[in-house]
Amino acid sequence: MKSKVLYYVVAAVLVFSMVLTACAPSTTATEVVATQVAPADTQAPAPTTAPTTAPTATTAPKPKIVTIAYSQEPDVVQGLFSSMSYAAWVSQMTVIGLAGWNDKNELFPMLATEVPSAANGGVSADGLTITWHLKPDLKWSDGQPLTSADVVFTWKALIDPGNAPYTRSGYDQIDSIDTPDATTAVIKFKTLYPDWQILFTSGPNNQGQLLPEHILKGKTALEKDPEIHQPTVASGPWVIKEWVAGDHMTFVPNPYYYAGKPKLDQINIKFVPDPETALAALKTGDVDFVPDFAESDIATLAALEPNIHLRVDAGPEFEHMLFNLGITNSTVKDAKGNVIGNSDQPGPCPLQDLKVRKAIMLGIDRQTIVNTLLEGKTTVPASLWPNSYWTNTSLTPYPYDPTQANSLLDEAGYKAGADGIRSGKCNGVETRLKFNFETTTKQLRKDIGAAIQDMLKKIGVEMTTTYTPAGTFFGTYDAGANMATGKYDFALYTTGFYPAPYTDGFLCSTVTSAQNKGGSNNYHICDPKLDELFAKANASADPAVRKPIFDEIQKYQYDNVLFVPIYVRANIMGYTDRLLLTPTSVIAGMMWDTANWDVK
């Protein structure tokens, strides 16, 4: 699952100067006037007519440069090894896959000639074999061939236990990849995998970029390799020319991009401390595009027309608070008889109790958070599939009900002490209802954390807060990130289960641990019932068959309060009038078509 980053409430506006400058040619072309040269002993004939104008100088066209403001710096650029949205956005610019998602939310071919289907012979009758055909004569930005061998290399790198990618989900369901020639990759799955379209394809929420075999062949621990952090070769429209940590990135056109040279000559990404600073720079024209405003900024941006334009892409993303439900006594076994689903350490004991989880849900006034921090510009969801085909419309969000929350905690055996905080026996051990809440340093998330902290205190639950830079918060297991290693109680972030409905983030087989560093289950939940439901949903590729099963999944998650959905997210962008921004969508992402961005 792909983690998304939240946007903040407007604070004091800071003004900064952009340090990126365009490097224009230092010389200009001048017109050369030829003259007749006479032999030494003769005089050159006089011209029959005198020139009417003096020779004129011509100036090279001014480079077309656009500057973007990011309020977070990518942890790496190769999105296969990151759960961070900013990494995914930069990946879309530089390292792409066989296909991608457009503004109409359609999968379209990129490095491939077409998207496989039953009609074109790309999908076998049993759905187990998918055949991709790459475009001929593809090259990496260094001029080396990009072929089907890179598809095989990418797959093997992702499933190699010596590497720690963001996730192996889906890739671990592949049995083999045959490459009869340089432009053909025949992917054979072990069992039906209905979400095959998210593999080897690029999007803001499904990183399937190809890895360069000629650069990385023979290497392990790729998550630590400089080529993963800052790729030196690109398959997308842009190549990284410069990356000054904490300040900026500079991108120039990839000379071998399959679709030709981008319309712009350069894109700069400037790292700014917060959206407020970015807004100030947008107003002055120091930056042209800001992708990460909050719902609370909509009215502010709308008032800046026509110099500044607002774009809002509503979609299926959500901000949610998750519980660490990790266990160390799983009895679930995989097909080989190996026990799966254990975390390195258990989550907080009280969170294993449904009454405690439900009390926490009822003790958080989510609608007030939306009304006060987001100006009522969004909604509180009931499940993790909002605004999509997969939404279970029969569910309604839990209300704010501190009275019921207190009753549930009483029933669970937790009584309030002299300081108002509850404690009681959990598995025979005296336990205080004290939890740590961790999220990123974004101001809106800090504000949400403070609000939740105050609300939960009213029902006798103590919450401390930890605000971690995004690059660390969304880090990998090997990097020691608390979510991946299970060293957290509550966490808060944005994600979205699209373009496919997504199933792997809740399975016992994907719990992140020392034995499964590439697992995508940061909830650390291992529930045989959920495994059973998701297996049932994955037994068909027909959306009509899968939909009622996903309704059942959402009902089970809802009834068992496996997380707390906070609000539905939207992509909210601001850009200057000089920027000709192409159409966008949540599924495509705002960076899907930077090759066709232009300026007036």
Side-chain angles (χ1 to χ4, degrees):
M1 98 192 115
K2 188 71 192 72
S3 303
K4 291 285 183 178
V5 185
L6 275 194
Y7 314 88
Y8 304 138
V9 195
V10 176
V13 176
L14 306 173
V15 181
F16 70 94
S17 298
M18 302 303 295
V19 300
L20 300 178
T21 58
C23 298
S26 59
T27 58
T28 58
T30 57
E31 183 178 355
V32 178
V33 180
T35 59
Q36 294 177 306
V37 179
D41 58 349
T42 63
Q43 182 179 8
T48 55
T49 58
T52 57
T53 59
T56 58
T58 59
T59 305
K62 182 179 179 181
K64 295 193 290 186
I65 300 174
V66 162
T67 299
I68 302 170
Y70 276 9
S71 58
Q72 293 182 16
E73 185 170 0
D75 50 355
V76 300
V77 169
Q78 176 47 264
L80 289 169
F81 291 83
S82 175
S83 63
M84 191 179 185
S85 293
Y86 293 82
W89 296 343
V90 174
S91 290
Q92 285 184 287
M93 297 172 62
T94 55
V95 282
I96 61 174
L98 299 175
W101 303 86
N102 64 21
D103 61 294
K104 298 180 178 62
N105 298 330
E106 301 165 335
L107 190 65
F108 74 99
M110 298 184 79
L111 299 176
T113 58
E114 59 185 348
V115 175
S117 67
N120 63 28
V123 179
S124 64
D126 61 6
L128 295 177
T129 302
I130 309 298
T131 301
W132 287 93
H133 295 285
L134 280 68
K135 291 179 170 68
D137 302 320
L138 292 172
K139 290 182 174 64
W140 293 95
S141 59
D142 61 0
Q144 292 298 307
L146 192 164
T147 70
S148 57
D150 293 302
V151 178
V152 177
F153 177 79
T154 300
W155 168 56
K156 289 183 176 180
L158 292 175
I159 64 172
D160 184 345
N163 299 322
Y166 167 62
T167 181
R168 295 185 173 91
S169 296
Y171 296 99
D172 58 3
Q173 300 303 309
I174 296 173
D175 185 58
S176 65
I177 301 180
D178 297 330
T179 54
D181 56 56
T183 60
T184 304
V186 182
I187 302 172
K188 297 179 180 179
F189 287 89
K190 301 171 185 176
T191 58
L192 184 67
Y193 189 73
D195 297 333
W196 61 265
Q197 290 186 334
I198 67 173
L199 307 181
F200 305 106
T201 61
S202 306
N205 208 46
N206 68 298
Q207 286 94 312
Q209 304 86 353
L210 299 188
L211 295 170
E213 181 184 35
H214 69 287
I215 299 288
L216 297 172
K217 185 176 182 179
K219 296 184 177 183
T220 57
L222 292 182
E223 67 280 359
K224 300 175 183 177
D225 195 277
E227 185 68 23
I228 297 301
H229 175 74
Q230 182 176 338
T232 59
V233 297
S235 53
W238 302 97
V239 179
I240 301 172
K241 178 182 179 182
E242 182 180 52
W243 184 350
V244 178
D247 192 74
H248 72 272
M249 299 176 78
T250 302
F251 301 82
V252 294
N254 171 2
Y256 294 104
Y257 182 49
Y258 80 90
K261 182 186 179 298
K263 293 180 179 179
L264 296 174
D265 297 303
Q266 183 172 305
I267 290 180
N268 302 322
I269 293 179
K270 177 67 181 176
F271 307 129
V272 300
D274 48 57
E276 291 71 45
T277 305
L279 178 61
L282 193 65
K283 289 179 179 179
T284 60
D286 287 328
V287 301
D288 300 289
F289 178 69
V290 181
D292 54 354
F293 285 113
E295 285 78 358
S296 56
D297 296 319
I298 289 176
T300 300
L301 290 166
L304 299 177
E305 292 281 358
N307 295 327
I308 304 296
H309 302 306
L310 165 70
R311 180 171 292 179
V312 179
D313 292 341
E317 295 179 339
F318 52 87
E319 180 82 350
H320 70 325
M321 187 179 84
L322 52 155
F323 304 119
N324 180 355
L325 298 177
I327 57 173
T328 56
N329 60 348
S330 171
T331 59
V332 177
K333 296 182 179 180
D334 62 17
K336 296 180 180 180
N338 300 313
V339 174
I340 57 175
N342 281 320
S343 297
D344 290 350
Q345 57 189 11
C349 179
L351 296 182
Q352 297 295 335
D353 189 334
L354 171 58
K355 291 179 180 178
V356 173
R357 298 196 302 273
K358 188 172 183 179
I360 290 171
M361 171 77 86
L362 294 168
I364 299 175
D365 190 350
R366 295 175 290 166
Q367 190 59 54
T368 292
I369 289 174
V370 166
N371 292 344
T372 57
L373 298 181
L374 297 163
E375 297 187 4
K377 299 295 185 182
T378 185
T379 58
V380 174
S383 81
L384 303 190
W385 282 266
N387 294 335
S388 80
Y389 168 80
W390 306 100
T391 304
N392 184 337
T393 56
S394 70
L395 301 178
T396 57
Y398 281 100
Y400 175 54
D401 191 341
T403 300
Q404 186 183 357
N406 278 309
S407 295
L408 286 169
L409 293 175
D410 287 340
E411 293 174 20
Y414 296 96
K415 307 300 181 184
D419 60 355
I421 304 304
R422 295 173 178 268
S423 61
K425 298 285 187 181
C426 189
N427 288 341
V429 178
E430 188 68 22
T431 304
R432 183 179 173 90
L433 291 189
K434 179 178 180 179
F435 305 98
N436 183 256
F437 169 97
E438 183 175 5
T439 188
T440 69
T441 55
K442 285 276 193 176
Q443 187 59 49
L444 178 55
R445 284 190 171 137
K446 288 182 178 180
D447 293 339
I448 290 174
I452 293 175
Q453 183 180 44
D454 182 63
M455 293 168 183
L456 291 184
K457 187 175 182 180
K458 294 176 182 177
I459 63 170
V461 176
E462 183 178 4
M463 189 180 85
T464 60
T465 55
T466 299
Y467 302 114
T468 306
T472 302
F473 178 75
F474 292 110
T476 63
Y477 183 95
D478 277 340
N482 288 342
M483 272 201 302
T485 57
K487 298 174 185 175
Y488 77 95
D489 299 337
F490 302 159
L492 181 83
Y493 66 90
T494 291
T495 190
F497 301 150
Y498 65 90
Y502 191 78
T503 61
D504 296 331
F506 299 96
L507 304 182
C508 293
S509 61
T510 62
V511 170
T512 315
S513 67
Q515 285 71 44
N516 191 25
K517 295 180 180 180
S520 57
N521 183 348
N522 284 331
Y523 303 92
H524 291 265
I525 184 172
C526 178
D527 185 327
K529 177 63 176 178
L530 273 182
D531 272 25
E532 176 188 330
L533 287 171
F534 279 119
K536 187 178 176 182
N538 284 341
S540 173
D542 185 346
V545 173
R546 303 181 83 197
K547 176 63 169 69
I549 305 170
F550 272 96
D551 283 350
E552 190 177 353
I553 288 169
Q554 291 167 76
K555 181 68 162 57
Y556 184 82
Q557 293 174 331
Y558 177 93
D559 289 344
N560 288 278
V561 193
L562 300 181
F563 38 72
V564 181
I566 303 295
Y567 70 92
V568 178
R569 279 295 322 279
N571 285 346
I572 299 168
M573 300 155 273
Y575 60 102
T576 59
D577 184 62
R578 75 180 285 265
L579 175 60
L580 300 174
L581 189 65
T582 54
T584 56
S585 78
V586 168
I587 291 180
M590 71 284 292
M591 310 301 289
W592 80 276
D593 195 28
T594 52
N596 285 309
W597 285 15
D598 208 344
V599 292
K600 293 180 178 178

